[in-house]
Amino acid sequence: MKLALSSIALAVAGVCSPVMAAQLQGQVTDPQGAPIVGAQVSIDGGPRTMTNSQGQYQLTVADNSHVHLHVSDDNFKHVDQDLQITTGVIKQDVSLKQAIMENIVVTASPLARSALESTTPISVLTEDQLKLNIEPTLGDTLEKLPGVQASHFGAGASRPIIRGMGGPRVQVLENGLSVGDASTVSADHAVTTEAASAQQIEILRGPGTLLYGNGAIGGVVNVVDKRYHEAPVDGVSGQLGTRYDTASNGRTFNGDIDGGNGQFNWHLDGTHRVTDDVDIPGNAIVDMPETHGKLDNSSLKLDDYAAGVGYTADTGFVSVSGARTESNYGIPGRGEADAADITIDLKKTAWQLHSGLLDPFAGFSKLRFDAGYTDYQHSEEEDGVAGTTFFNKQSEARLSLNNNPWGEWQGTMGLHMVHRDFSVEGEEALTPNSKTDTLAAFIVQERKVGDFRFELGGRIEHYRLAPEGMILETINGEQNYQAEDLVDNDLTLSAGMVWDFAPSYNLGLSFTRAQRSPTAEELYSFGPHDATQSFEIGSQFTIVNGQIMTDSGNNDKEIANNIDLTLRKLEGAWTGSLSMAYNRVNNFYYEKNTGLIASDIVGADPEGDLPVYQFTQGDAELYSLEAQATIPFNDNWSLDMFSDYTRGKLVDGGNLPLMPPMRIGSTLNYDQQQWHAEIAAIGYGKQTDTAENETETAGYALANAAVTYRLYTNSGDMLLYVKANNLLNQEARPHTSLLKDYAPLMGRNLMFGVTYNF
């Protein structure tokens, strides 16, 4: 189906006759009149280009049209201009003002806005920042960003948590397409995207992510790599890097290379990472001295490599890439005598197609088609013997059209399709095999009026979940269970505004109403799961005196009503932002510790002491606060500060589980020519707002430091760095981790690395 849709889309685009065109050209300069090289110049919803060595640009646009010109550069404030195009050659020069805050274009934003122009908070980790912050897992890489923490499930599996939401509510993407793994199913399943090959990582908070649908009600993490190109590639460039970590004896090698002749282009990248069991301060398990100093079964081995080819022209582009991921990592245990070591052996093959056509037909400035296919599996092994294997085959396609202005409104619209075939084989087949299909239509439009920019969007999604039958092991023996198909129509509506109310300030405000249908894991899970040290039960079952009642629970969709307010100060003696959000989620799914153990419901069983967790629904409220600021003291010294807090509670009383505590952090920076040095501290508060049968977590503080030196040569530049995490060797047990009582965070770790760009 995906190949047919791709062929139809490209064929239709190819036979459409382009409209008559005019030439828009000019020069982009700084306040002193010097040309800005490499600035991005685009027509909203249409063509884009980069300025040349003289700061000059040229775009082909439709005759007799009204367009919105957008000019951006990472080091300058973006400029928007409304232009009335006539015919022939139109001259438009642009001057950009210096910006202190980062101002990077976010590709996952429906209208490709920057973090400073968004109606909701957005964070971006750039390629340079990633070099210092890359960790073996995506969650650990991102967790120091405001509003983002991590699930911390051993060395190989840690998923990002945004404003207290994780799992199936946070969509993880590669180049705008789902990673297609099983990381939403359980915390022990790794996210199969590699930050070492990323060009930037984008984090969009809140439910207003209309392009990405049912799994994005809490936010989106988009990993942008270099595996495809929309602009021409001329020549060869790349990078090579290596790093050593003392606390895990970790060795990482990565590299990528791009080449092209201005039309055809190609790409290769790869990452190899090996670690031993990690060093920890104190005991892994309290009162068990035999677990002192080392976290057993926390080693990791990963190989990730990819290749891509593409073609670019003045009228569009097309690119195909393939990637392979193989990983093997341990899951720390509970310290039981003679317990088997549990490891995850993971393999994934993924293909992506990206294509676009400019001015495909009258009234529309760009047609884009993106598609992906993923073949994923992982085995959960006990002492090297596979007991349970998870399979996920997923196809995805998105067709979008950017419209020329309808009156004063312009934006994007399209169709989005996902097919997921998920199955489990073996001893711990705790969810039934299932097929999930979604088909959605979306539209996002914006209008600029003076100092205001308004944005409206909507998405309607048809959702169908078709589970197969399963056998339940209960206290009364085996029961055959067959659930009915779940069919829903989910509607998401959003409205937002950005107000540039003063030269150095803007205010973003957004309202979103989003619906999410439950997953098979939330509805039908039933069985022991050694990796998470729990016996899991879905919401479709009810426990009455140890008896399991089927199809007696709820399967209502979640309905989130969210308001988000963001104030930004863009320049002056200090810069920063303050974000406040309130999210009322009706029918919120969460895992409740029932206080039972497995033997209470299944009788005599080797897993009889595992605690029973059940997916339960309740109306919930989440309050979030995020603040960050940068204070430059002079040309060399500056101070970065941030704080975040999320409060999650049930409307009828009680707290949501696994809520992150309040954090406060600061970083003192020193910059002198090629040198950079920093020292940082992050304090994590004690978490006492706990759910039923959930233990409290002590607060802790982590001190970090880094020194970098950049060496420039005729053939490229080299970055050398030394970094230290947890300098004071503090014991840290994150409240967001299901393994907090068995697996503290890594102790003092020194990292030595070098990256060469050519």
Side-chain angles (χ1 to χ4, degrees):
M1 180 177 178
K2 60 182 184 296
L3 292 177
L5 187 55
S6 173
S7 301
I8 292 171
L10 294 177
V12 169
V15 299
C16 293
S17 300
V19 297
M20 297 297 291
Q23 295 297 317
L24 177 63
Q25 56 185 240
Q27 185 182 41
V28 180
T29 58
D30 65 15
Q32 288 73 43
I36 299 176
V37 180
Q40 186 175 96
V41 184
S42 63
I43 300 298
D44 279 3
R48 64 180 58 190
T49 189
M50 308 288 283
T51 57
N52 61 19
S53 59
Q54 302 301 314
Q56 298 169 338
Y57 73 93
Q58 180 171 300
L59 291 169
T60 301
V61 295
D63 277 347
N64 301 312
S65 61
H66 180 84
V67 301
H68 190 73
L69 181 68
H70 190 71
V71 184
S72 62
D73 184 271
D74 293 353
N75 299 313
F76 295 85
K77 294 178 64 176
H78 294 190
V79 165
D80 296 295
Q81 293 183 349
D82 288 303
L83 303 176
Q84 186 63 45
I85 302 299
T86 54
T87 187
V89 177
I90 295 91
K91 180 83 169 177
Q92 185 67 41
D93 294 334
V94 179
S95 178
L96 300 183
K97 294 181 179 180
Q98 199 80 30
I100 297 176
M101 295 182 67
E102 272 188 326
N103 206 22
I104 299 165
V105 172
V106 179
T107 63
S109 172
L111 300 170
R113 291 298 179 193
S114 76
L116 302 188
E117 301 170 295
S118 172
T119 59
T120 58
I122 293 178
S123 297
V124 180
L125 274 180
T126 64
E127 192 169 8
D128 281 345
Q129 292 170 327
L130 282 169
K131 289 180 174 66
L132 272 183
N133 290 283
I134 286 177
E135 299 293 342
T137 65
L138 183 65
D140 292 353
T141 298
L142 303 178
E143 69 159 345
K144 294 181 179 65
L145 295 172
V148 183
Q149 296 202 35
S151 58
H152 294 296
F153 209 95
S158 182
R159 215 173 190 275
I161 297 170
I162 300 178
R163 292 177 168 176
M165 291 191 178
R169 297 183 185 88
V170 173
Q171 184 81 276
V172 179
L173 313 171
E174 285 181 310
N175 301 315
L177 296 171
S178 172
V179 292
D181 54 31
S183 61
T184 61
V185 175
S186 179
D188 63 302
H189 300 172
V191 181
T192 54
T193 184
E194 179 50 55
S197 61
Q199 185 173 356
Q200 67 186 45
I201 300 180
E202 307 161 351
I203 301 92
L204 287 70
R205 298 165 181 80
T209 47
L210 289 167
L211 271 64
Y212 307 109
N214 200 56
I217 198 171
V220 164
V221 175
N222 185 36
V223 180
V224 182
D225 56 42
K226 305 173 186 176
R227 294 172 183 173
Y228 84 98
H229 299 276
E230 295 187 37
V233 177
D234 197 355
V236 177
S237 63
Q239 69 170 6
L240 298 171
T242 184
R243 189 176 97 170
Y244 177 75
D245 294 44
T246 60
S248 64
N249 191 29
R251 293 86 71 197
T252 301
F253 306 91
N254 67 281
D256 62 70
I257 185 169
D258 292 273
N261 63 1
Q263 290 184 317
F264 292 97
N265 58 75
W266 53 270
H267 170 87
L268 297 170
D269 72 66
T271 300
H272 173 73
R273 181 179 295 116
V274 179
T275 73
D276 298 338
D277 289 347
V278 303
D279 295 338
I280 57 172
N283 300 333
I285 303 172
V286 178
D287 298 328
M288 291 188 66
E290 61 270 28
T291 65
H292 182 83
K294 188 75 71 172
L295 185 60
D296 290 338
N297 201 36
S298 59
S299 60
L300 163 73
K301 181 179 180 181
L302 175 137
D303 289 291
D304 181 89
Y305 44 91
V309 294
Y311 175 80
T312 61
D314 292 339
T315 55
F317 72 97
V318 63
S319 178
V320 177
S321 65
R324 176 72 172 178
T325 303
E326 297 181 1
S327 178
N328 189 285
Y329 58 93
I331 301 295
R334 295 189 294 174
E336 296 176 335
D338 302 322
D341 284 340
I342 299 174
T343 55
I344 306 292
D345 189 56
L346 180 157
K347 297 177 176 63
K348 187 184 90 166
T349 302
W351 297 92
Q352 289 193 350
L353 166 70
H354 300 278
S355 60
L357 188 67
L358 301 179
D359 295 324
F361 39 84
F364 294 91
S365 57
K366 188 174 184 179
L367 180 149
R368 178 159 183 150
F369 182 79
D370 302 275
Y373 175 75
T374 302
D375 186 351
Y376 168 96
Q377 72 174 68
H378 83 252
S379 297
E380 298 191 357
E381 302 176 342
E382 297 186 12
D383 290 334
V385 179
T388 307
T389 303
F390 294 75
F391 301 89
N392 192 60
K393 295 184 178 181
Q394 185 163 311
S395 304
E396 180 178 10
R398 183 184 297 107
L399 179 68
S400 58
L401 272 170
N402 295 347
N403 62 283
N404 292 327
W406 296 337
E408 294 296 325
W409 293 89
Q410 62 182 12
T412 187
M413 68 201 73
L415 301 173
H416 184 204
M417 180 273 296
V418 179
H419 171 76
R420 181 193 187 210
D421 188 348
F422 180 77
S423 60
V424 189
E425 297 177 358
E427 299 172 356
E428 293 184 5
L430 69 162
T431 57
N433 300 340
S434 62
K435 291 181 172 61
T436 306
D437 289 281
T438 63
L439 179 62
F442 60 85
I443 182 169
V444 181
Q445 296 287 301
E446 72 167 17
R447 177 182 180 182
K448 188 169 175 61
V449 181
D451 293 329
F452 293 87
R453 183 170 56 82
F454 299 97
E455 183 180 302
L456 298 174
R459 178 185 176 103
I460 180 70
E461 179 171 293
H462 181 71
Y463 179 92
R464 184 183 187 92
L465 171 62
E468 297 180 5
M470 62 186 300
I471 298 175
L472 310 181
E473 298 284 350
T474 73
I475 200 168
N476 294 323
E478 294 184 349
Q479 292 186 38
N480 291 318
Y481 174 66
Q482 175 62 63
E484 295 182 357
D485 291 2
L486 174 65
V487 180
D488 273 338
N489 291 307
D490 296 327
L491 177 66
T492 298
L493 299 171
S494 72
M497 174 203 74
V498 176
W499 178 26
D500 296 313
F501 63 89
S504 300
Y505 296 86
N506 74 22
L507 183 71
L509 177 66
S510 70
F511 302 89
T512 305
R513 179 179 173 85
Q515 297 178 328
R516 183 184 76 90
S517 295
T519 63
E521 301 80 48
E522 293 168 316
L523 294 176
Y524 312 122
S525 292
F526 192 94
H529 195 180
D530 282 342
T532 61
Q533 305 295 322
S534 63
F535 192 100
E536 300 176 10
I537 298 180
S539 69
Q540 284 299 281
F541 309 118
T542 301
I543 306 170
V544 180
N545 297 324
Q547 306 293 319
I548 302 299
M549 311 294 292
T550 60
D551 287 328
S552 57
N554 295 325
N555 60 3
D556 295 330
K557 67 177 72 174
E558 288 183 348
I559 304 174
N561 295 282
N562 186 84
I563 180 171
D564 216 308
L565 181 67
T566 301
L567 174 66
R568 304 180 182 97
K569 187 176 187 297
L570 309 177
E571 56 187 32
W574 63 275
T575 59
S577 64
L578 174 66
S579 299
M580 296 174 286
Y582 170 75
N583 199 359
R584 165 68 183 256
V585 188
N586 296 332
N587 310 316
F588 187 87
Y589 284 85
Y590 65 99
E591 275 197 278
K592 175 183 178 181
N593 186 337
T594 64
L596 303 172
I597 59 174
S599 59
D600 294 331
I601 58 175
V602 299
D605 188 274
E607 316 291 349
D609 65 340
L610 290 178
V612 176
Y613 284 80
Q614 182 169 25
F615 285 98
T616 307
Q617 282 191 279
D619 295 344
E621 293 180 316
L622 294 101
Y623 303 84
S624 299
L625 177 68
E626 295 139 20
Q628 55 185 327
T630 296
I631 304 173
F633 300 121
N634 52 43
D635 291 340
N636 301 115
W637 293 94
S638 64
L639 180 68
D640 296 323
M641 299 181 294
F642 87 95
S643 181
D644 58 12
Y645 174 69
T646 297
R647 177 78 168 92
K649 62 181 183 178
L650 295 166
V651 173
D652 293 334
N655 300 306
L656 292 174
L658 301 176
M659 284 292 106
M662 182 177 181
R663 296 188 300 178
I664 299 177
S666 63
T667 303
L668 181 64
N669 303 286
Y670 176 78
D671 293 278
Q672 178 67 44
Q673 296 180 347
Q674 293 102 318
W675 289 95
H676 171 80
E678 62 184 54
I679 185 165
I682 303 178
Y684 293 74
K686 180 180 180 180
Q687 182 57 281
T688 58
D689 296 323
T690 55
E692 184 180 359
N693 298 316
E694 184 183 35
T695 58
E696 296 182 357
T697 307
Y700 55 90
L702 300 177
N704 309 312
V707 176
T708 70
Y709 177 76
R710 192 177 293 275
L711 176 66
Y712 295 95
T713 69
N714 292 332
S715 58
D717 65 90
M718 184 178 296
L719 179 71
L720 299 95
Y721 60 90
V722 179
K723 186 177 180 182
N725 282 346
N726 196 2
L727 269 171
L728 303 180
N729 206 34
Q730 294 294 298
E731 181 176 300
R733 298 181 183 272
H735 192 77
T736 53
S737 172
L738 290 171
L739 297 184
K740 64 181 182 180
D741 295 327
Y742 319 120
L745 297 187
M746 185 183 294
R748 183 185 296 112
N749 183 31
L750 300 180
M751 292 162 279
F752 305 90
V754 58
T755 300
Y756 176 64
N757 296 281
F758 59 90

